Amino acid sequence: MTENIDATAPILIETADHITTLTLNRPASRNALSLSMIAAFSDALDVVARQGEETRVVILQAEGPAFCAGHDLKELTAHRDDPDHGEAFFEETMRACSALMRKIVGLYKPVIAAVDEIATAAGCQLVASCDLAVAGPRARFCTPGVDIGLFCSTPAVALSRNVAPKHAMEMLLTGALVDAETALRIGLVNRVSTDGARTGARALAALIAQKSPQAISFGKETFYEQSGRTLAEAYQIAGAVMVENLLAPDAVEGIGAFLGKRKPVWPA
């Protein structure tokens, strides 16, 4: 089924086979994260959240020559003429963008970035904020704020949670482009698909969509909640969730199916 059939919408939403595809649809602006684009994106995630188990996996892709060019610098610059030189608008934009990235992480369904194009600055942050990422052979990534006197501090939050500190700092300090194979090597993406990111992401999403929706939901939330905690805290959190998960209908069905040597049928 198609949720959004307006081809001019900033975010296209399409759901089929338990997979919802969100497409950034502002190619003329290289899918820059203007305040309106951030709002539309946030609304699209709300649509996905309301779908329940109709959507088990989300793919994020983009139209045009760029996956996402980061913040809309023209929009930000236009507010330098405000009485406060843009400070209030800059604060609003950063709050909205940070909330969007947190919403992706907080969504109880896996989100896969499918990147066939260039992802820069907050666009690279967007890729790093997704749970998984598939790159096409021509995909490139960078955090080039240093080139324009604006360190990519908010992209660094997501980037540093994906790749080792020295790799993250090299990207942030040099602004250099990272190709798809390098992104794979340093852990920014999960795989490089020679057939293109959309094809690779679809195959990965189809595999995940076969799994228990409840287990995936428990797992994603717990993965992020225990990350960064002490070992004792992490095991306390994870152990409590394991008990809750064991009592859930999907675990009852899944374990029963395994012991009965049959394929599980996940409860609706």
Side-chain angles (χ1 to χ4, degrees):
M1 64 177 281
T2 299
E3 292 289 341
N4 187 336
I5 58 175
D6 179 4
T8 67
I11 307 289
L12 304 180
I13 308 173
E14 184 176 1
T15 303
D17 301 323
H18 297 295
I19 299 169
T20 291
T21 302
L22 302 180
T23 304
L24 305 181
N25 191 39
R26 284 291 180 261
S29 65
R30 300 174 69 84
N31 297 307
L33 294 176
S34 64
L35 204 52
S36 62
M37 185 66 153
I38 292 170
F41 197 162
S42 182
D43 289 345
L45 292 174
D46 289 340
V47 170
V48 172
R50 290 195 298 268
Q51 286 179 326
E53 290 186 10
E54 180 184 352
T55 294
R56 296 180 180 176
V57 188
V58 179
I59 295 174
L60 176 62
Q61 61 188 32
E63 293 292 344
F67 177 80
C68 177
H71 289 295
D72 189 329
L73 297 180
K74 291 182 178 179
E75 181 178 71
L76 293 173
T77 300
H79 284 271
R80 291 196 183 279
D81 292 331
D82 294 353
D84 63 353
H85 306 293
E87 182 177 3
F89 185 80
F90 300 161
E91 289 177 348
E92 182 183 7
T93 299
M94 295 307 146
R95 279 196 302 268
C97 188
S98 296
L100 173 64
M101 302 301 168
R102 294 198 308 272
K103 184 175 281 192
I104 292 170
V105 174
L107 186 69
Y108 60 95
K109 307 164 191 292
V111 182
I112 305 172
V115 189
D116 279 311
E117 312 85 2
I118 189 169
T120 66
C124 187
Q125 177 186 3
L126 184 55
V127 176
S129 296
C130 293
D131 304 296
L132 302 169
V134 177
R138 296 187 302 277
R140 293 171 295 160
F141 309 85
C142 65
T143 49
V146 288
D147 295 333
I148 59 171
L150 181 67
F151 195 83
C152 286
S153 296
T154 46
V157 173
L159 186 64
S160 65
R161 282 162 169 75
N162 278 238
V163 305
K166 284 185 170 56
H167 290 306
M169 284 300 288
E170 182 174 351
M171 290 183 67
L172 293 161
L173 292 172
T174 67
L177 282 170
V178 169
D179 62 23
E181 290 297 336
T182 302
L184 175 64
R185 176 175 58 82
I186 67 176
L188 182 56
V189 303
N190 296 84
R191 57 185 69 178
V192 177
S193 173
T194 56
D195 295 325
R198 294 188 181 194
T199 299
R202 189 78 189 182
L204 185 56
L207 177 63
I208 296 170
Q210 298 172 19
K211 311 303 180 183
S212 158
Q214 283 187 331
I216 295 292
S217 178
F218 277 121
K220 176 173 175 176
E221 182 179 6
T222 307
F223 179 87
Y224 291 113
E225 186 176 356
Q226 63 80 33
S227 180
R229 303 293 188 99
T230 66
L231 191 63
E233 289 172 338
Y235 272 117
Q236 185 176 18
I237 291 167
V241 173
M242 284 289 287
V243 172
E244 186 180 1
N245 195 167
L246 278 164
L247 294 170
D250 275 18
V252 174
E253 166 61 16
I255 294 171
F258 176 78
L259 295 176
K261 301 184 186 303
R262 61 177 176 81
K263 186 175 181 180
V265 178
W266 307 121

